Amino acid sequence: MEQRVSLITLGVTDLPRAKAFYQALGWRGHEVEQTVFFQAGGMALVLWGREKLAEDCGLPAGEPGGFSGIALAHNVRSPGEVDALLAAAERAGGTVTKPARRTFYGGYAGVFTDPDGHAWEIAHNPGFTLAEDGSLTLPDFDAL
């Protein structure tokens, strides 16, 4: 298996609401057969009905809203961008679950959840290089 992720699919309880939330954050997607696809750099974020996604995975759907054990992250170039994105998420209907603050690694980060409870960390990490297109390059941890 190659070391990469191609798509992340979020199970949502209300597809129009979820689509509107991400669009309010500036994302532009395309709805195809009750599924919304967003190009996200070199990968894609997909919104799909929670019950349909669970069935497709051969798993019980369970209740939305609890911590799923997964956090998505969006790295930015400055602490000010962290604050701005958390505020935008809140205006769009998300919930800030961890207000932005300095981190143990010398960065600045906070967390919001979307209307279905999916956690998003918004972080400025000066040790992670962001290219002009937003792609992230990890540092050489062995050299640190």
Side-chain angles (χ1 to χ4, degrees):
M1 179 175 184
E2 293 180 35
Q3 190 168 309
R4 66 177 153 79
V5 176
S6 304
L7 296 136
I8 295 174
T9 304
L10 302 179
V12 300
T13 56
D14 182 332
L15 188 64
R17 178 191 69 185
K19 179 181 177 184
F21 174 80
Y22 285 95
Q23 287 178 327
L25 293 179
W27 291 53
R28 296 295 165 244
H30 299 282
E31 189 167 343
V32 179
E33 297 181 19
Q34 300 177 335
T35 306
V36 180
F37 295 86
F38 297 96
Q39 187 67 53
M43 59 184 297
L45 180 75
V46 181
L47 306 176
W48 196 17
R50 185 177 180 83
E51 297 287 332
K52 292 177 182 181
L53 178 58
E55 182 181 339
D56 191 57
C57 292
L59 298 167
E63 292 297 317
F67 181 62
S68 66
I70 296 173
L72 304 168
H74 180 84
N75 282 48
V76 295
R77 292 175 178 81
S78 73
E81 286 182 81
V82 172
D83 292 331
L85 281 174
L86 289 174
E90 200 163 41
R91 284 191 307 273
T95 302
V96 174
T97 59
K98 181 179 173 185
R101 60 180 158 224
R102 293 277 163 217
T103 65
F104 69 92
Y105 55 81
Y108 185 73
V111 177
F112 73 84
T113 56
D114 72 8
D116 286 283
H118 300 291
W120 280 86
E121 178 187 42
I122 306 300
H124 170 250
N125 183 335
F128 288 3
T129 303
L130 287 180
E132 189 173 315
D133 69 357
S135 60
L136 181 137
T137 301
L138 294 173
D140 180 358
F141 291 110
D142 292 331
L144 298 177

